[in-house]
């Protein structure tokens, strides 16, 4: 009997570990939902290349929609307030504060799309161990690309609440491109709305910047052929770019996590066309000239992806 | 003009009050030439070998006008650090890199550069397009925290 008990005790941890092996996609789905549904406050670190910023976030959802306030604590005191999908960004510039109205971005910890199914074609998920982040137990989930057209991710999801505690974006050499990680996070209960206002500096002028991108009709004269696997077009706008007099067409593609912008504009006299490829941190750039048009592709994706999208543009002969 | 750019860089002149610098630089003439020189220095510092044939001559000529220093090397180094003129040149170069693109745009539009020749994108990162990408692409935390126009 004793021997049996001993064997049982020895076997138990293995059994427990086995029982713990969760579906990684379910962990990610829960994390995506938790970021929108829960009320929480904390400070996270954002790191991209050499740049490191501490960011304070307060997010509530008491059933009447989402409210969030995000304050960048280091350097320029940028601030963002959001209600539902409406976002206002406050960024000081000299003696002014520029207010920009935007639609919602997927800001940490809400970096995962709610519709997680889209990711399955392009990434494979695998469950990892448990690691402690911001004083909480995090379940590790690896999200590895199925091809070389996107980066890899590693996520830590709170074992109790599901919320993402940490997110890493890695290149093919497993080097870190972008990191976001809570250093402290707490769940909020009855918090009221007193916190939901920007920190106004009365000595400065506040200027509302009009959105400079307008939804665009399908373009005539050019088409984007075969996209890199897993990417789909999500939006097309015409926008003004500083230093350009004519509006530029911008098409946005995503695979659910990574996004790429394609810019197309007619070549204008006096502006030197750009060609070639370059990169800065996680962002890759591709430029080419075709049939009197400047093509420019920008995205937080590998070089092959921007090149493939740029090369897929073809102009119909007139 | 040079000292004004330096003052802008040193923070003695507020950026708000420096709009005349843009205007002056854009107006052409001697200041534009000075700007072109600084631009070349900036290019050289960044390792882009795009010297004008006469640039070196002019640089050497201006160096010839400098007084010859007859002090020990260590002292000279200290003196150089204290030498406000050196700092002013360094500051001017940085300041010009900062305001330079405005003028560059202007010059390019005036057709001073050869506008038909494509340039390598690596030579000048399209920061405006990068920012436009960040602001529009929904999967981009960077835009709130570290937008492209703030990163340099």
């Amino acid at each position: 009997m004793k021997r049996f008990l001993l064997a049982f005790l020895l076997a138990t941890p293995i059994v427990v570990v086995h029982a713990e092996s969760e579906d990684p996609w379910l962990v990610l789905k829960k994390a995506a939902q938790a970021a929108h549904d829960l009320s929480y406050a904390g400070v996270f670190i954002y790191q991209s290349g050499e740049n490191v910023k501490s960011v304070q976030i307060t997010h509530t959802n008491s059933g009447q929609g989402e409210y969030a306030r995000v304050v960048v604590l280091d350097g320029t005191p940028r601030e963002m307030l959001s209600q539902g999908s409406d976002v206002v960004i406050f960024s000081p510039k000299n003696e002014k504060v520029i207010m920009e109205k935007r639609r919602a971005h997927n800001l940490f910890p809400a970096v995962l799309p709610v519709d997680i199914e889209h990711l399955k074609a392009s990434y494979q998920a695998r469950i990892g161990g448990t690691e402690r982040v911001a004083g909480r137990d995090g379940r590790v989930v690896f999200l590895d690309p199925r091809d070389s057209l996107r980066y890899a991710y590693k996520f830590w999801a709170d074992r109790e609440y599901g919320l993402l505690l940490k997110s890493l974006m890695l290149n093919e050499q497993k080097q870190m491109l972008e990191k976001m990680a809570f250093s402290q996070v707490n769940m909020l209960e009855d918090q009221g709305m007193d916190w939901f206002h920007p920190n106004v500096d009365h000595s400065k002028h506040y200027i509302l910047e009009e959105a400079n991108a307008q939804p665009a009709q399908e373009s005539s004269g050019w088409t984007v052929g075969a996209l890199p696997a897993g990417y789909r077009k999500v939006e097309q706008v015409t926008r003004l770019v500083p230093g350009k007099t004519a509006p530029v067409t911008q098409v946005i593609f995503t695979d659910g996590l990574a996004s790429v912008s394609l810019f197309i504009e007619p070549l204008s006299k006096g502006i030197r066309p750009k060609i070639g490829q370059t990169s800065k941190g996680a962002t890759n750039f591709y430029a080419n000239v075709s049939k009197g048009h400047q093509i420019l592709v920008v995205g937080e994706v590998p070089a092959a992806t921007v090149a493939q999208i740029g090369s897929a543009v073809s102009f119909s002969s007139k | 003009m040079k000292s004004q750019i330096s003052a802008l860089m040193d923070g003695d002149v507020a950026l708000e009050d420096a709009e005349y610098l843009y205007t002056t630089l854009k107006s052409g003439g001697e200041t534009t030439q000075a700007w072109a020189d600084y631009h070349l220095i900036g290019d050289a510092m960044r390792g882009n070998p795009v010297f004008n044939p006469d640039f070196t001559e002019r640089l050497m000529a201006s160096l010839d006008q400098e007084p010859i220093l007859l002090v020990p090397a260590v002292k000279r180094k200290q003196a150089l650090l204290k030498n406000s003129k050196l700092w002013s040149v360094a500051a001017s170069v940085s300041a010009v890199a900062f305001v330079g693109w405005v003028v560059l745009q202007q010059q390019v539009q005036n057709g001073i550069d050869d506008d038909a020749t494509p340039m390598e994108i690596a030579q000048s990162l399209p920061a405006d397009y990068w920012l436009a990408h960040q602001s529009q692409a929904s999967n981009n935390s960077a835009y709130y925290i570290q937008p492209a126009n703030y990163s340099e």
Side-chain angles (χ1 to χ4, degrees):
Chain A
M1 183 60 199
K2 258 182 190 169
R3 192 169 289 175
F4 176 76
L5 190 66
L6 186 65
F8 178 78
L9 284 173
L10 284 173
T12 308
I14 300 162
V15 170
V16 169
V17 167
H18 192 75
E20 269 185 0
S21 79
E22 302 158 64
D23 178 353
W25 289 111
L26 278 180
V27 176
L28 295 179
K29 195 181 165 80
K30 191 181 172 192
Q33 209 61 52
H36 294 287
D37 293 350
L38 299 179
S39 298
Y40 47 89
V43 173
F44 68 85
I45 304 294
Y46 170 86
Q47 184 175 2
S48 171
E50 308 252 299
N51 297 313
V52 185
K53 294 271 165 86
S54 286
V55 184
Q56 185 184 56
I57 182 168
T58 311
H59 175 277
T60 64
N61 190 344
S62 51
Q64 279 114 46
E66 286 183 78
Y67 293 86
R69 180 174 180 231
V70 173
V71 183
V72 179
L73 299 176
D74 300 316
T76 310
R78 274 170 81 86
E79 191 170 335
M80 186 273 276
L81 289 168
S82 74
Q83 179 177 359
S85 61
D86 293 324
V87 174
V88 182
I89 306 169
F90 299 80
S91 34
K93 271 182 190 161
N94 305 317
E95 297 310 305
K96 302 188 188 90
V97 176
I98 311 293
M99 297 181 288
E100 282 176 83
K101 283 173 85 171
R102 300 280 160 180
R103 32 146 235 191
H105 279 224
N106 298 354
L107 183 69
F108 183 80
V111 289
L112 290 158
V114 178
D115 185 6
I116 213 92
E117 294 299 312
H118 272 306
L119 299 179
K120 291 186 176 175
S122 311
Y123 298 89
Q124 45 197 6
R126 146 175 88 82
I127 206 93
T130 300
E131 288 176 22
R132 200 154 163 269
V133 178
R136 303 200 54 88
D137 282 340
R139 166 60 85 208
V140 176
V141 177
F142 296 92
L143 203 55
D144 295 317
R146 292 185 189 274
D147 51 32
S148 56
L149 295 168
R150 61 211 94 233
Y151 295 130
Y153 298 83
K154 186 179 177 185
F155 296 111
W156 287 253
D158 191 293
R159 300 253 340 244
E160 188 180 353
Y161 297 109
L163 190 70
L164 276 195
L165 297 171
K166 183 173 171 179
S167 153
L168 279 189
M169 180 162 73
L170 307 149
N171 67 8
E172 270 185 326
Q173 289 79 44
K174 299 287 170 210
Q175 290 160 324
M176 187 197 88
L177 297 171
E178 192 179 64
K179 174 168 103 176
M180 288 165 281
F182 274 117
S183 45
Q184 190 207 330
V185 62
N186 294 306
M187 291 300 143
L188 297 175
E189 283 184 12
D190 188 18
Q191 59 289 315
M193 289 302 290
D194 290 346
W195 57 273
F196 190 72
H197 62 83
N199 188 16
V200 176
D201 182 343
H202 292 285
S203 69
K204 297 196 171 188
H205 294 294
Y206 280 70
I207 293 160
L208 183 65
E209 189 188 81
E210 294 301 316
N212 52 8
Q214 303 295 331
Q217 303 298 312
E218 283 300 309
S219 52
S220 58
W222 54 266
T223 51
V224 185
L227 286 173
Y231 286 87
R232 62 187 193 283
K233 177 179 162 179
V234 284
E235 200 179 8
Q236 180 164 332
V237 296
T238 53
R239 67 176 307 126
L240 293 169
V241 174
K244 296 290 166 75
T245 44
V248 176
T249 301
Q250 180 180 12
V251 191
I252 295 147
F253 305 96
T254 183
D255 72 348
L257 273 177
S259 42
V260 186
S261 286
L262 162 70
F263 298 93
I264 299 181
E265 64 196 290
L267 287 176
S268 44
K269 232 183 155 59
I271 294 179
R272 284 180 76 181
K274 289 182 165 68
I275 53 162
Q277 284 201 247
T278 190
S279 69
K280 174 115 192 198
T283 312
N284 268 287
F285 300 83
Y286 167 94
N288 205 359
V289 173
S290 177
K291 300 274 166 64
H293 286 75
Q294 173 77 65
I295 295 162
L296 205 115
V297 190
V298 183
E300 288 72 36
V301 292
T305 313
V306 286
Q308 205 170 319
I309 290 176
S311 317
V313 178
S314 61
F315 294 86
S316 54
S317 48
K318 285 173 188 170
Chain B
M1 183 66 192
K2 293 170 194 174
S3 59
Q4 284 166 329
I5 298 177
S6 302
L8 170 69
M9 239 2 237
D10 295 338
D12 296 334
V13 175
L15 190 63
E16 289 285 281
D17 301 323
E19 268 186 290
Y20 67 93
L21 282 176
Y22 291 78
T23 324
T24 321
L25 279 168
K26 280 194 282 185
S27 66
E30 205 180 311
T31 46
T32 310
Q33 186 56 50
W35 175 81
D37 289 354
Y38 286 134
H39 187 58
L40 284 169
I41 299 169
D43 275 337
M45 285 172 73
R46 287 187 294 272
N48 299 339
V50 282
F51 289 102
N52 264 347
D54 64 338
F55 172 72
T56 323
E57 277 173 45
R58 278 189 282 117
L59 181 67
M60 294 317 286
S62 62
L63 283 177
D64 285 345
Q65 286 162 16
E66 294 282 336
I68 297 160
L69 296 170
L70 294 171
V71 281
V74 178
K75 277 193 177 171
R76 194 188 305 166
K77 200 175 176 185
Q78 285 169 351
L80 275 174
L81 284 173
K82 285 176 190 160
N83 187 328
S84 60
K85 185 159 187 179
L86 180 74
W87 281 117
S88 117
V89 170
S92 302
V93 171
S94 334
V96 161
F98 178 61
V99 297
W101 80 271
V102 177
V103 184
L104 184 63
Q105 291 284 333
Q106 187 78 14
Q107 290 201 343
V108 162
Q109 276 158 23
N110 290 345
I112 292 170
D113 282 56
D114 181 3
D115 61 17
T117 323
M119 70 187 289
E120 280 291 326
I121 191 172
Q123 282 181 10
S124 77
L125 220 54
D128 294 331
Y129 291 87
W130 191 5
L131 194 64
H133 162 68
Q134 288 189 340
S135 76
Q136 205 70 25
S138 63
N139 307 349
N140 211 310
S141 296
Y143 187 66
Y144 292 129
I145 301 162
Q146 184 72 45
N149 61 340
Y150 281 29
S151 62
E152 304 201 277

